[in-house]
Amino acid sequence: MAREPSYPGDAPVGASRPAPPPSPPAPSEPIAEDPKGASDSRRTKHIVAGAAIGIGSAAIVAALLYANRNRRGDKD
């Protein structure tokens, strides 16, 4: 049982004429709970945290390689 597709009322379905240009979007009010400054601050904190995790991971790898470097020559 096939359902008939639904189309928006302003869409010319099956018409050979071109669609009218879209109207410009209405201005919207900023959301009070998430002002622009808060989202920028949160993004900056995430970037700094990601950089810190990356640097910390590299430091751990370097420490492990340094600690194990004198054991490599013991296989004689």
Side-chain angles (χ1 to χ4, degrees):
M1 182 164 159
R3 291 181 20 186
E4 290 292 323
S6 61
Y7 298 102
D10 61 343
V13 179
S16 60
R17 61 185 169 96
S23 61
S28 61
E29 296 181 17
I31 301 172
E33 296 173 1
D34 188 23
K36 185 177 181 184
S39 64
D40 288 342
S41 173
R42 189 169 56 195
R43 181 174 181 232
T44 302
K45 287 179 184 178
H46 287 166
I47 291 173
V48 169
I53 290 170
I55 292 171
S57 299
I60 290 172
V61 169
L64 290 173
L65 290 173
Y66 179 76
N68 291 326
R69 73 179 182 168
N70 60 357
R71 295 184 187 175
R72 291 184 187 173
D74 293 342
K75 294 184 180 183
D76 286 300

